[in-house]
Amino acid sequence: PAPARPRPRPAARNRASAAKPQWIWLSPDGQLAGKVYFRKEFVVQGSVAAARLYATCDNVMTVYLDGKRLLEHDDFSSPVFRDLTAAFETPSEGGRHVLAVEAENVGQDNPAGLLVKLDFESGWRDAWSEVSDAGWKATASAPPAGWRELDFKATGWQAAQVVAPLGGGPWTQITAASLAAAAPLREPTATPVELLKVARDFSVELLYSVPKDEQGSWVNLCIDPRGRLIVSDQYGGLYRVTPPPIGSNQQVVIEKIPVDIGEAQGLLWAFDSLYVMVNKGQKYNSGLYRIRDTDGDDQLDKLEYLRELTGGGEHGPHAILPAADGKSLYVVCGNQTRLTEVATSRVPQVWDEDLLLPRTYGRGFMKGVPAPGGYIARIDPDGGNWELVASGFRNQFDAALNADGELFTYDADMEWDMNTPWYRPTRVCHVVSGAEFGWRNGAGKWPVYYPDSVPAVVDIGPGSPTGICFGYGARFPERYQDALFISDWSYGKLYAVHLVPEGASYRAELEEFVSGTPLPLTDVVINPHDGAMYFAIGGRRVQSGLYRVTYRGSDSTAPGSHRQSDGADPRALRRKLERLHVGDHPDAVETAWPYLGHPDRFLRFAARVAIEHRPVREWAERALAERDPDTALTALLALARQFPRTERPAGPEIDSPPPRWDQADARQVDAERAAVRDQLLASLDRLGWSELNNRQRIDLLRATTLTLVRLGPPDQATRQRMIARYEPALPAAAQPVNSELAQLLVYLQAPRAAEKIVQLLRTAPTQEEQIDYAKTLRHLRAGWTEPLEEQYFEWFIKAAGYRGGASFSLFVEHIKEDAVARLSASRRAALRPILEARPAGPVTPLAADPRPLVQEWTMQQLVPLVESGLVGRNFENGRKMFAAANCFACHRFDNQGGAIGPDLTALSGRFSPRDILESIVEPSKVISDQYQAVTIVTIDGKVITGRIVNLAGDSLRINTNMLDPDAQVGVDRKQIEEMAPSKTSMMPAGLLNTLSADEIQDLMAYLLSRGNPDHPAFQSQ
């Protein structure tokens, strides 16, 4: 069929530029009122990046916002300005607000008037204003109390009378320019190169500071056949950019592309065409477009709409890139993009939420949106023949292929979830065929250890992933030609990721290549015509700029081969198995079966996907009869996945409630499904728990979970057998095993689950682990005693003092609400003192009371403790000391902990024990560029120190406390007088002063172990 035509949407009016305030007053019965009371209710939808109030009155006024006095003013010739951004940082109920003004004209013969303009900016939509006009309500009679508040009934009030327009009447000197001059605002420019840090022997040029009002904020780059750049404004059109030759004094040439298309979040020049991925904004429908030059005049002129994609915002359709075969393209779509119709799928189309217990939600972002989440597809050049390649991403923006044809992407985190057990940092993912990366909404994200997903190559940390590319074609040293460059928008980091083959996949070493404050990177490309790197900053209407990076050192920049011989054999084996993911392969089961139990996780995954593409009848009996533990675990996991859930609840909710064991007759599954379930459970029972290692135990528990979720709960006899098998196994030695065991025992309503899990809750050293157990316990009805209930609900007192992202407190509140809801009225009354108690302030996970001071340790005292050798140390105590020193509050270690600071898991591979110790004892001596704070001085003298963590419009969001990810303040970039790197680390000093020498040695051994309890430091002498 012919492709659909694009359906342009009407452009939104820019209300900020169109709205002009008017002079208003009131003259009842034709007599000028001496005193007038004004009100204007308005609604603010969504977030606000900046709010600026301009006002004046002839001749006295007092201004209130939501009942709070803002200012008094008595000189109409000098308009007054107030920054009100902070007043709108916390959304009000329904977004409702009210401006109220008490205005007085001293001297009845004088002219009287009020002029008000409240400007709003947002990074997601056009700016807008609330202005004084006839829509305001006014009265000359003294109103009753409460007139300044919302919900006041302005009965009898009149419409304000317009006295004159701005610049009119007796106030001609008050113009738009003089009103704006009341604010000491500085127009931002792109971040100067003097404020950037770049890798040794590289240099950065700022080629162009984009005029925001004319050319918007640039978010994408690609290279055309002549070495020119094509760029896109996130909310506007496309431009062609001709960069000057390297080393010349020529200027950048900017040309508007004369085609009615824009709002692109993906650009690619391929097959003599410009491919444009539109992410629905104001004017154009989302989807994939192609533009061509049909008459050879070097001007693009023909637009085609190849595929409509349902989705928009910043989680919609994103990048396009060429495939390695030179005959097809990859398309990258975020998790708000509904899966389009596909002709084939490398991902077995049996995905589901696959959660044993209902999840909880925080602020509810994307609540009810089910799997598969973000995805990557492969298409032909005409936009047809879509093949699903991988799924389960949160919001990957871009992807890149290495020289061996392996695909990589940089996936996003959910910063609202920081310091929860389900938080996942931004991460580089190896996009293998049929991959599932486990995104589920709310608290349902899969942990990285689930065998039906694939892990990341490397965790980066908090951030906002944007453009990525390999360094191929750059005139850089070979190490950087082979690097994967990834852009972090919110923290202003361009990383060089050095991939190292490991088995059938890769691991990675991370290097900070370019950084700046602020440096909201949006895209990065290599221009093979001049061998330079180009990157853009912008997005969300922030100040945009175009930069060029070149190498100035003496190392050879000759093109390398780029192919990697290391790991070639296991990668070739994996790709052999992946060829079975599409097409009809009757031999797939025989070919793939030997690899279901392979030690390499990526080979196990590829083999399982291969057999899942075959009819179940070909391999079900073999799976049930398999005796090798690893092969059986993978095969039985695959078999359980082939069955859809017995019930799918209607409506937006996608979680089923836990089963009620006293209503077995109400939830009978049909005989065939019950038989398969029982066979699966029987086969899993053959695997002796004590004979399995921790990874195998996790796989066993996951296969059991999928069996119960997909095929229904067991009968009473089987339930009792399962309780007898798994209840004694808790607690286990590994936290992930404990987490999965706890969920299973709560699902089964095991009688001793309360006793065992409450004990784990009380002794877990991290708030993430404690929240995990508390979340699970809220579904338990069996086995509670009064003391256990008291201990459980006492935990919520401590948890109320924990800190995390924007959803953190809501997650804890919702867990508590669910737990309280199962209490009887009498128990609720008895527990009221505990339920209503609150902590005095922030607390640590191990105890509500702070640890006592041991001594103020110095490097001189501590160095001998670590340099004499760390042998025979205690792993679990080291982990507890990591928590006691509050390290988990900011840092991740072995996939647990906070994310504001760097991940410390791989410290031992990069730093000596002395260096690690020094960074703890003297954190400001050497401050990592990656986590350095900035000190900002505003025009009105305010000083703010912290890390820039987000941007929108001209507003910067600054985290001022590493222990609290949600401790943020907004700073108007137009009001910044000075900004410089801070000389003081955000990491507090004295963290070891509450630890004994023995405890410090355990902590240091833990830091050197990479989370491995079998590390030599924990072996006896």
Side-chain angles (χ1 to χ4, degrees):
R5 294 182 178 181
R7 299 192 296 274
R9 303 166 65 224
R13 184 167 62 95
N14 190 327
R15 292 191 285 155
S17 59
K20 293 183 179 180
Q22 297 172 304
W23 289 95
I24 58 175
W25 202 256
L26 201 61
S27 298
D29 302 322
Q31 298 296 316
L32 186 72
K35 196 169 191 178
V36 183
Y37 304 86
F38 295 94
R39 282 175 51 86
K40 175 62 184 296
E41 293 194 17
F42 58 97
V43 175
V44 175
Q45 298 288 359
S47 60
V48 170
R52 306 184 185 104
L53 175 71
Y54 305 82
T56 189
C57 180
D58 190 351
N59 50 356
V60 178
M61 66 176 176
T62 306
V63 183
Y64 303 84
L65 176 67
D66 299 334
K68 298 179 180 179
R69 186 166 66 178
L70 297 179
L71 60 92
E72 294 181 2
H73 190 60
D74 61 2
D75 182 4
F76 82 87
S77 64
S78 299
V80 66
F81 165 79
R82 287 291 185 274
D83 181 1
L84 299 185
T85 304
F88 295 94
E89 286 183 344
T90 302
S92 64
E93 184 176 354
R96 298 170 60 236
H97 299 274
V98 60
L99 269 174
V101 182
E102 183 177 339
E104 185 174 1
N105 180 246
V106 180
Q108 292 290 323
D109 295 333
N110 294 333
L114 172 71
L115 191 78
V116 179
K117 187 169 187 272
L118 178 54
D119 289 342
F120 292 98
E121 288 185 6
S122 168
W124 292 268
R125 59 192 188 279
D126 284 338
W128 73 101
S129 298
E130 299 292 340
V131 298
S132 52
D133 57 19
W136 285 52
K137 296 293 184 182
T139 182
S141 303
W147 71 274
R148 308 177 187 95
E149 311 285 344
L150 274 169
D151 300 321
F152 172 76
K153 304 299 182 185
T155 305
W157 288 46
Q158 301 173 274
Q161 297 169 354
V162 175
V163 180
L166 177 66
W171 307 286
T172 55
Q173 71 269 46
I174 306 300
T175 63
S178 63
L179 202 63
L185 303 181
R186 298 188 171 195
E187 195 60 36
T189 59
T191 306
V193 295
E194 294 78 17
L195 297 181
L196 305 186
K197 294 184 178 180
V198 62
R200 182 178 176 181
D201 292 332
F202 288 87
S203 67
V204 183
E205 304 170 73
L206 171 58
L207 296 179
Y208 190 62
S209 186
V210 181
K212 187 190 300 187
D213 292 340
E214 299 171 20
Q215 296 167 356
S217 197
W218 294 356
V219 294
N220 277 115
L221 306 172
C222 75
I223 308 294
D224 79 1
R226 298 188 183 185
R228 299 168 298 192
L229 282 71
I230 308 295
V231 305
S232 62
D233 170 14
Q234 184 175 2
Y235 305 105
L238 306 179
Y239 300 88
R240 186 164 65 186
V241 179
T242 303
I246 295 173
S248 77
N249 294 321
Q250 298 178 26
Q251 299 297 308
V252 171
V253 178
I254 311 291
E255 305 169 75
K256 180 78 167 65
I257 293 178
V259 179
D260 187 20
I261 196 67
E263 301 169 353
Q265 291 197 11
L267 295 173
L268 172 68
W269 192 285
F271 305 109
D272 296 321
S273 306
L274 175 65
Y275 290 89
V276 180
M277 183 66 82
V278 172
N279 196 328
K280 189 173 184 177
Q282 298 176 344
K283 189 176 180 182
Y284 305 99
N285 278 3
S286 289
L288 180 63
Y289 297 74
R290 177 170 61 184
I291 316 175
R292 292 175 171 175
D293 173 9
T294 59
D295 56 13
D297 66 350
D298 196 32
Q299 294 295 321
L300 295 165
D301 51 38
K302 183 181 179 182
L303 176 67
E304 299 173 84
Y305 195 18
L306 301 181
R307 174 69 68 104
E308 182 172 10
L309 294 171
T310 303
E314 294 184 351
H315 291 243
H318 295 314
I320 320 109
L321 61 147
D325 62 4
K327 301 176 183 179
S328 56
L329 306 170
Y330 285 109
V331 170
V332 177
C333 295
N335 61 343
Q336 231 167 13
T337 314
R338 187 178 302 167
L339 181 62
T340 190
E341 181 179 348
V342 296
T344 56
S345 177
R346 290 179 170 270
V347 182
Q349 297 184 64
V350 295
W351 54 73
D352 207 329
E353 299 303 293
D354 290 330
L355 305 175
L356 190 60
L357 300 174
R359 79 199 80 196
T360 186
Y361 295 92
R363 295 170 68 175
F365 181 67
M366 295 191 71
K367 184 176 182 179
V369 176
Y375 63 90
I376 294 178
R378 189 168 177 167
I379 65 173
D380 64 33
D382 293 324
N385 192 33
W386 285 58
E387 176 183 276
L388 183 62
V389 174
S391 65
F393 301 102
R394 179 177 180 267
N395 189 29
Q396 77 296 15
F397 189 81
D398 199 358
L401 283 158
N402 74 1
D404 291 310
E406 302 286 354
L407 185 63
F408 297 85
T409 191
Y410 181 23
D411 197 15
D413 66 353
M414 180 41 157
E415 66 276 11
W416 293 356
D417 294 0
M418 281 186 184
N419 293 12
T420 66
W422 48 88
Y423 170 76
R424 302 193 307 190
T426 65
R427 53 193 191 152
V428 174
C429 300
H430 181 195
V431 187
V432 294
S433 172
E436 160 68 78
F437 286 94
W439 175 83
R440 300 296 185 268
N441 67 64
K445 289 183 286 293
W446 294 1
V448 69
Y449 52 74
Y450 276 7
D452 39 339
S453 68
V454 287
V457 171
V458 63
D459 285 342
I460 305 299
S464 182
T466 48
I468 74 173
C469 74
F470 277 93
Y472 308 141
R475 293 173 189 165
F476 292 175
E478 188 171 6
R479 171 177 171 81
Y480 294 98
Q481 293 179 36
D482 292 338
L484 173 63
F485 293 94
I486 64 173
S487 306
D488 175 4
W489 181 85
S490 57
Y491 286 89
K493 310 291 182 183
L494 179 61
Y495 296 100
V497 180
H498 304 286
L499 296 165
V500 180
E502 185 171 76
S505 183
Y506 300 81
R507 59 180 175 86
E509 299 170 357
L510 196 65
E511 177 187 358
E512 190 171 308
F513 186 69
V514 179
S515 64
T517 305
L519 196 69
L521 291 139
T522 54
D523 206 359
V524 57
V525 294
I526 303 297
N527 190 338
H529 293 261
D530 61 12
M533 169 190 283
Y534 292 81
F535 67 81
I537 65 171
R540 293 187 185 172
R541 306 185 195 278
V542 305
Q543 177 59 51
S544 195
L546 178 67
Y547 298 77
R548 178 164 61 191
V549 182
T550 52
Y551 180 65
R552 303 297 190 191
S554 58
D555 290 350
S556 171
T557 59
S561 66
H562 309 312
R563 303 293 294 271
Q564 290 182 303
S565 57
D566 291 348
D569 289 342
R571 291 198 303 275
L573 176 56
R574 192 198 75 241
R575 287 195 289 267
K576 174 184 175 182
L577 294 169
E578 290 172 347
R579 286 193 287 272
L580 305 175
H581 296 177
V582 286
D584 183 21
H585 301 279
D587 61 340
V589 174
E590 286 300 322
T591 301
W593 202 270
Y595 301 101
L596 293 177
H598 198 280
D600 189 302
R601 180 171 174 177
F602 281 83
L603 290 178
R604 290 198 306 274
F605 188 92
R608 177 180 57 77
V609 171
I611 69 167
E612 286 193 25
H613 279 292
R614 298 302 302 168
V616 178
R617 63 178 180 274
E618 292 184 7
W619 52 274
E621 291 299 327
R622 185 171 181 177
L624 293 167
E626 179 61 56
R627 295 288 175 169
D628 175 72
D630 276 321
T631 304
L633 287 168
T634 307
L636 295 171
L637 179 86
L639 183 57
R641 282 168 41 86
Q642 305 313 301
F643 299 89
R645 282 189 289 171
T646 53
E647 295 180 1
R648 292 177 181 270
E653 295 300 326
I654 52 181
D655 291 320
S656 299
R660 294 190 60 83
W661 300 104
D662 54 347
Q663 297 179 357
D665 58 334
R667 49 163 185 72
Q668 286 294 324
V669 295
D670 61 75
E672 181 180 348
R673 293 173 64 87
V676 175
R677 177 202 63 210
D678 292 345
Q679 287 177 295
L680 272 163
L681 293 175
S683 295
L684 291 167
D685 278 348
R686 287 201 305 266
L687 302 170
W689 180 264
S690 61
E691 299 168 6
L692 302 178
N693 59 35
N694 284 328
R695 193 269 300 164
Q696 292 170 326
R697 290 174 177 177
I698 289 171
D699 291 1
L700 170 65
L701 291 167
R702 182 59 175 165
T704 303
T705 288
L706 291 178
T707 300
L708 300 174
V709 169
R710 297 294 189 108
L711 290 158
D715 57 34
Q716 285 285 7
T718 305
R719 172 190 167 231
Q720 293 297 335
R721 287 198 300 273
M722 294 180 72
I723 291 173
R725 172 174 165 86
Y726 292 112
E727 200 173 57
L730 188 70
Q735 182 274 328
V737 179
N738 284 335
S739 176
E740 299 303 311
L741 277 172
Q743 292 180 61
L744 179 59
L745 292 175
V746 167
Y747 176 89
L748 296 170
Q749 297 295 307
R752 294 191 61 201
E755 169 194 342
K756 287 173 171 281
I757 303 172
V758 167
Q759 179 61 22
L760 287 170
L761 174 69
R762 296 181 64 195
T763 58
T766 73
Q767 69 181 44
E768 291 83 5
E769 188 176 344
Q770 291 177 13
I771 291 168
D772 184 48
Y773 296 134
K775 173 174 66 74
T776 296
L777 278 168
R778 81 192 200 279
H779 299 296
L780 184 63
R781 297 178 303 281
W784 287 104
T785 64
E786 291 184 2
L788 286 173
E789 282 185 332
E790 291 172 2
Q791 292 171 27
Y792 177 43
F793 286 105
E794 284 170 351
W795 174 83
F796 287 99
I797 303 173
K798 183 166 65 171
Y802 292 167
R803 295 292 179 263
S807 278
F808 183 86
S809 60
L810 287 175
F811 278 122
V812 175
E813 288 175 18
H814 294 167
I815 292 170
K816 182 178 178 180
E817 288 169 3
D818 289 345
V820 170
R822 67 165 179 78
L823 294 172
S824 66
S826 60
R827 283 303 293 152
R828 201 173 305 175
L831 289 168
R832 182 171 291 114
I834 295 175
L835 297 177
E836 295 179 354
R838 292 292 182 271
V843 295
T844 60
L846 283 180
D849 298 322
R851 288 171 60 94
L853 174 70
V854 173
Q855 72 176 79
E856 295 184 0
W857 291 103
T858 65
M859 281 293 293
Q860 185 178 5
Q861 294 167 324
L862 292 175
V863 167
L865 297 180
V866 298
E867 289 194 339
S868 60
L870 296 170
V871 181
R873 306 315 310 172
N874 186 308
F875 177 86
E876 277 304 315
N877 193 55
R879 185 167 180 259
K880 288 181 179 179
M881 292 307 103
F882 193 80
N886 236 3
C887 303
F888 273 125
C890 299
H891 301 280
R892 290 180 75 81
F893 192 91
D894 193 25
N895 290 313
Q896 294 187 53
I900 291 292
D903 189 315
L904 302 182
T905 309
L907 274 180
S908 63
R910 294 178 288 144
F911 301 101
S912 69
R914 183 190 178 98
D915 291 336
I916 297 171
L917 191 63
E918 185 176 71
S919 68
I920 300 172
V921 178
E922 301 174 2
S924 294
K925 185 173 182 179
V926 178
I927 304 174
S928 167
D929 293 343
Q930 187 178 351
Y931 294 91
Q932 188 167 35
V934 295
T935 296
I936 294 172
V937 181
T938 63
I939 291 172
D940 58 0
K942 294 178 182 176
V943 179
I944 301 100
T945 298
R947 290 186 69 202
I948 297 176
V949 297
N950 213 332
L951 309 91
D954 290 320
S955 176
L956 306 178
R957 300 294 299 173
I958 313 295
N959 172 255
T960 57
N961 180 2
M962 288 185 72
L963 298 177
D964 183 359
D966 203 33
Q968 297 181 15
V969 297
V971 177
D972 189 341
R973 194 172 177 186
K974 290 182 176 178
Q975 298 185 61
I976 294 177
E977 176 74 27
E978 182 181 344
M979 180 164 57
S982 173
K983 297 180 180 179
T984 302
S985 173
M986 290 186 70
M987 179 175 168
L991 293 176
L992 300 183
N993 293 346
T994 62
L995 276 59
S996 69
D998 198 54
E999 289 171 333
I1000 291 172
Q1001 288 180 303
D1002 284 344
L1003 170 61
M1004 290 299 297
Y1006 179 72
L1007 286 170
L1008 294 169
S1009 73
R1010 299 193 179 207
N1012 177 18
D1014 296 325
H1015 187 274
F1018 306 115
Q1019 308 303 314
S1020 300
Q1021 289 181 310

